[in-house]
């Protein structure tokens, strides 16, 4: 069976992301959409929409779906790729929570099992995304999945078998691309240069 090739793409900038707000369902802002349009030929490859991928999946969030379309792909929504459920903190800024609920924020930042906002813990998110990754590994197909920075961080932790707490040491910028290849019981993280631009 062919190896599974999984390309995880973080969605582009939104107003909430620029303001460090928890979750929400904002659309791409103008800068995020322009950057996603520019990304397609340089990072995903000139054949991204015509044979370089067998499937495109997306978080249900508007920004993820819009990023996929800006990349020239037609996504199918995959709920396993949804952002963390931030409960009562959804739409509120990190700074705001730090002022209103400093102890709760400290607990959430230090304990992956904690969900003081009443939503989903990072540990629960890791379990959800890990199950999805394990399902993908045996399919032998090429998948581009557009999702959220935190989802990609916990996906890398799961794929490499790292302690969950190390997700805090991983930074994933908007439109970052992480490549994983899987065959048999393990995933490999692949770092590569973007394809050279077309000549002429």
């Amino acid at each position: 069976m062919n190896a599974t090739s999984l390309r995880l793409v973080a969605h582009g900038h939104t107003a909430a992301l620029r303001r460090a707000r928890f979750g929400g369902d904002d659309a791409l802002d103008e800068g995020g959409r322009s950057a996603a349009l520019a990304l397609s030929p340089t990072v995903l490859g000139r054949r991204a929409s015509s044979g370089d991928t067998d499937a495109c999946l997306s978080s249900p969030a508007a920004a993820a779906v819009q990023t996929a379309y800006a990349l020239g792909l037609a996504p199918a929504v995959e709920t396993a790729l949804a952002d963390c459920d931030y409960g009562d903190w959804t739409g509120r800024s990190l700074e705001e929570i730090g002022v209103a609920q400093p102890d709760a924020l400290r607990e959430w930042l230090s304990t992956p099992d904690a969900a003081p906002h009443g939503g989903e813990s990072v540990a629960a998110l890791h379990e959800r995304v890990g199950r999805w990754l394990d399902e993908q590994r045996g399919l032998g197909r090429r998948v581009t999945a557009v999702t959220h920075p935190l989802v990609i961080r916990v996906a890398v932790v799961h794929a490499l078998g790292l302690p969950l707490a190390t997700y805090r040491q991983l930074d994933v910028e908007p439109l970052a691309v992480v490549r994983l290849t899987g065959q048999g019981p393990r995933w490999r993280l692949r770092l590569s240069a973007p394809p050279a631009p077309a000549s002429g």
Side-chain angles (χ1 to χ4, degrees):
M1 178 180 288
N2 293 332
T4 294
S5 175
L6 180 59
R7 191 162 38 197
L8 298 170
V9 183
H11 68 70
H13 264 300
T14 66
L17 196 57
R18 292 188 194 275
R19 296 184 175 99
R21 294 188 180 277
F22 287 97
D25 194 20
D26 285 9
L28 292 178
D29 62 20
E30 185 175 347
R33 184 174 184 279
S34 295
L37 288 168
L39 177 73
S40 180
T42 58
V43 175
L44 293 188
R46 292 181 298 278
R47 296 179 298 116
S49 61
S50 58
D52 194 43
T53 187
D54 296 324
C56 176
L57 304 176
S58 169
S59 158
V65 174
Q66 291 168 358
T67 296
Y69 277 113
L71 296 174
L73 300 168
V77 168
E78 171 54 69
T79 57
L81 297 172
D83 199 7
C84 188
D85 176 0
Y86 294 106
D88 294 339
W89 294 358
T90 301
R92 301 171 71 185
S93 71
L94 187 66
E95 181 180 7
E96 180 184 352
I97 297 300
V99 170
Q101 303 175 45
D103 292 340
L105 180 60
R106 193 161 36 249
E107 179 189 13
W108 183 77
L109 289 172
S110 62
T111 309
D113 287 316
H117 42 57
E120 187 176 29
S121 69
V122 173
L125 174 68
H126 175 254
E127 183 178 348
R128 163 164 58 90
V129 174
R131 282 196 305 268
W132 177 80
L133 267 180
D134 292 342
E135 292 168 0
Q136 297 303 306
R137 193 175 56 230
L139 297 181
R141 61 179 185 167
R142 298 164 298 177
V143 177
T144 297
V146 184
T147 184
H148 307 268
L150 182 56
V151 171
I152 295 176
R153 290 160 68 191
V154 299
V156 169
V157 165
H158 178 83
L160 300 184
L162 301 173
L164 178 53
T166 58
Y167 86 91
R168 300 188 198 96
Q169 298 168 257
L170 304 177
D171 291 326
V172 176
E173 299 292 328
L175 298 179
V177 180
V178 172
R179 292 173 174 83
L180 297 170
T181 56
Q183 189 168 31
R186 293 188 178 138
W187 287 99
R188 297 177 66 90
L189 179 65
R190 181 184 173 202
L191 303 176
S192 60
S199 59

